[in-house]
Amino acid sequence: MKIFKIIVSIAALFAFTMSYAQQAQDSVKTYKKRVLETTEVDFLTSYYSQDGDNAAVSGGLGTEELTDFTGTFVVAIPLTDDDVLTIDAGVSAYTSASSSNVDPFDGGQPADPFVASSGASSSDTWANISGSYSNSSDDRNTIVSGKVSVSSEYDYFSLGFGGGLTKLFNEKNTEVSINANVYLDKWNALYPSELRPFASGANGLNNGFFSNKTITGNTNYSPSFDKFSDETRNSYSLGFGFSQILSKNLQGSLALDLVQQQGLLSTPFQRVYFSDIADSFIENFQLADAIEQLPNSRFKVAAGGRLNWYINETFVVRSFYRYYYDDWGINSHTASVEVPIKLTDKFTVYPSYRYYQQTAADYFFGYEEALSTETFYTSDYDLSKYSANQFGMGVSYTDIFTKMHVWKLGLKSIDLKFYKYDRDTTFSSSIITAGVKFVMD
């Protein structure tokens, strides 16, 4: 009987202990820190402008003038303590003197590679929406994420999806990650207007397009032109990351990215002029000898690292280096440094500098440098040999207490940045970006 009472007492104690432990565990689950405390809303916008004299649309010779305005909303929503859903939606509207010359003859003035045409191809709108989902483990040492995106413009449509896994170790001082993405793209190919009458089955110079136009120079204009039979492009990427806190003032990271592309990698409306074919003109515009032809596969490798040094409460140094290689013959080096300077508890300025250098692709030829006997050729100066410098300055305002409100949204931060970019060719650009972050009350 005494033994029975002891057994009952032990069982009761065990049951009480298990019940208390379960309650404690439930309490931890109930009150554990959320990955994202409340809904965050970001509004991002930018204004971009560029100019130069090497437009790929007109075979490496012509205006590269372009302006672009972009607006984007990003909403991050905590679904549970562990799960976050992020919706990113944006629209970009541009006006391009360069792309307007896909059809340089549809404007109200003489066609010229250095003058924008006022036709339909002078502007376009790009729209994108993406959704991502992430789940963090209870100990916050494992993060699983997935993403789907859709983007579209007049001559292009893209569907993307991917996912990633992040693991933290060593009391969160070490982080490793892997991510993979797939993009399935579809062109609605646009070709230079003067080549369209020479597509398979067309009438060439007897087509109505030439009926009211006078060809000068080589009047026997007879280009070799075929439309692309496959207008799809698939891209597959795999990325690896490693980050380590080296000391209380120093953090470093390494990254490796692999990309494989298959399909239509040529831009259908980019002209090429051959040195062994006599030039033909309508007004001041040289008629295309061919369109850009590039291989239907490309493999890219990029490896780089970051080193962030916290000097004191005022200064931080953020440095970055990346080496890039692809099987088209391009090798490049990128190096940058940014020095955030904390002026007050709320204001920080961000001076920055970036240097870039690359070799030319095996298939790049400047204006009238390619021969008609070549298999692949392009006059896109993005694939040429060049070096570039970029200077930037930014300022940010942060209010961790979100004292300022707009409706039910508390203002958390404002960021404003300006970058000036110059190549050692004639190309230059500038961009102003602004971002405002709100948190939901």
Side-chain angles (χ1 to χ4, degrees), residues 416-437:
L416 183 65
K417 294 184 179 181
F418 173 79
Y419 298 98
K420 185 70 173 68
Y421 174 88
D422 289 289
R423 291 183 186 174
D424 58 1
T425 62
T426 62
F427 184 89
S428 64
S429 68
S430 60
I431 184 171
I432 299 174
T433 67
V436 183
K437 181 185 287 290

Side-chain angles (χ1 to χ4, degrees), residues 323-334:
Y323 172 74
Y324 167 89
Y325 157 84
D326 67 32
D327 58 3
W328 285 8
I330 293 180
N331 292 268
S332 73
H333 302 271
T334 305

Side-chain angles (χ1 to χ4, degrees), residues 40-45 70-76 86-92 126 128-131 409 434-438:
E40 294 184 350
V41 180
D42 287 85
F43 173 68
L44 311 172
T45 185
T70 301
T72 302
F73 278 101
V74 182
V75 182
T86 303
I87 305 296
D88 184 330
V91 175
S92 173
W126 171 89
N128 170 265
I129 185 169
S130 65
L409 302 175
V436 183
K437 181 185 287 290
F438 296 95

Side-chain angles (χ1 to χ4, degrees), residues 189-212:
L190 299 178
Y191 300 98
S193 56
E194 69 272 25
L195 291 179
R196 298 169 197 171
F198 292 89
S200 299
N203 296 323
L205 289 178
N206 295 321
N207 184 281
F209 174 84
F210 292 99
S211 61
N212 61 345

Side-chain angles (χ1 to χ4, degrees), residues 60-213:
L61 183 69
T63 179
E64 296 178 83
E65 184 180 357
L66 179 147
T67 59
D68 177 274
F69 179 78
T70 301
T72 302
F73 278 101
V74 182
V75 182
I77 306 168
L79 301 178
T80 67
D81 290 349
D82 307 321
D83 304 304
V84 176
L85 174 66
T86 303
I87 305 296
D88 184 330
V91 175
S92 173
Y94 73 81
T95 301
S96 171
S98 173
S99 67
S100 73
N101 283 325
V102 172
D103 186 354
F105 312 107
D106 61 355
Q109 56 189 349
D112 191 301
F114 289 97
V115 177
S117 171
S118 58
S121 57
S122 63
S123 62
D124 198 0
T125 300
W126 171 89
N128 170 265
I129 185 169
S130 65
S132 62
Y133 166 83
S134 68
N135 171 267
S136 299
S137 61
D138 287 342
D139 60 9
R140 303 298 185 248
N141 287 331
T142 303
I143 304 169
V144 180
S145 63
K147 180 180 180 180
V148 177
S149 66
V150 176
S151 61
S152 177
E153 56 185 310
Y154 181 74
D155 63 339
Y156 205 77
F157 177 83
S158 178
L159 171 65
F161 53 91
L165 173 65
T166 300
K167 297 285 290 185
L168 290 86
F169 305 94
N170 189 25
E171 297 182 344
K172 295 182 171 60
N173 289 318
T174 304
E175 178 182 308
V176 295
S177 63
I178 181 172
N179 61 81
N181 292 281
V182 176
Y183 293 95
L184 307 177
D185 305 335
K186 178 71 167 61
W187 287 91
N188 178 22
L190 299 178
Y191 300 98
S193 56
E194 69 272 25
L195 291 179
R196 298 169 197 171
F198 292 89
S200 299
N203 296 323
L205 289 178
N206 295 321
N207 184 281
F209 174 84
F210 292 99
S211 61
N212 61 345
K213 298 177 177 64

Side-chain angles (χ1 to χ4, degrees), residues 152-338:
S152 177
E153 56 185 310
Y154 181 74
D155 63 339
Y156 205 77
F157 177 83
S158 178
L159 171 65
F161 53 91
L165 173 65
T166 300
K167 297 285 290 185
L168 290 86
F169 305 94
N170 189 25
E171 297 182 344
K172 295 182 171 60
N173 289 318
T174 304
E175 178 182 308
V176 295
S177 63
I178 181 172
N179 61 81
N181 292 281
V182 176
Y183 293 95
L184 307 177
D185 305 335
K186 178 71 167 61
W187 287 91
N188 178 22
L190 299 178
Y191 300 98
S193 56
E194 69 272 25
L195 291 179
R196 298 169 197 171
F198 292 89
S200 299
N203 296 323
L205 289 178
N206 295 321
N207 184 281
F209 174 84
F210 292 99
S211 61
N212 61 345
K213 298 177 177 64
T214 301
I215 298 177
T216 59
N218 176 22
T219 58
N220 186 29
Y221 179 59
S222 181
S224 176
F225 170 66
D226 290 304
K227 292 183 178 180
F228 292 110
S229 59
D230 182 5
E231 296 185 348
T232 63
R233 171 192 294 177
N234 298 337
S235 301
Y236 312 92
S237 67
L238 185 63
F240 302 91
F242 172 80
S243 177
Q244 178 67 50
I245 297 177
L246 304 172
S247 71
K248 67 177 184 179
N249 293 345
L250 202 63
Q251 181 183 24
S253 64
L254 298 172
L256 174 65
D257 293 291
L258 310 174
V259 179
Q260 177 67 52
Q261 293 182 295
Q262 299 283 348
L264 180 53
L265 305 184
S266 306
T267 303
F269 52 76
Q270 294 189 166
R271 294 174 174 86
V272 172
Y273 300 115
F274 297 129
S275 61
D276 56 343
I277 293 181
D279 301 339
S280 300
F281 295 86
I282 293 179
E283 298 168 347
N284 298 322
F285 200 93
Q286 185 173 346
L287 306 183
D289 292 328
I291 56 172
E292 176 181 270
Q293 296 285 341
L294 292 168
N296 61 5
S297 68
R298 188 179 188 184
F299 181 65
K300 308 176 183 180
V301 179
R306 298 181 183 273
L307 189 64
N308 298 335
W309 178 27
Y310 175 84
I311 299 175
N312 53 41
E313 292 183 353
T314 303
F315 297 96
V316 176
V317 177
R318 298 172 179 168
S319 60
F320 169 77
Y321 170 78
R322 183 186 66 183
Y323 172 74
Y324 167 89
Y325 157 84
D326 67 32
D327 58 3
W328 285 8
I330 293 180
N331 292 268
S332 73
H333 302 271
T334 305
S336 67
V337 61
E338 182 182 66

Side-chain angles (χ1 to χ4, degrees), residues 42-60:
D42 287 85
F43 173 68
L44 311 172
T45 185
S46 67
Y47 177 78
Y48 171 85
S49 65
Q50 70 174 49
D51 205 354
D53 300 324
N54 302 114
V57 175
S58 45

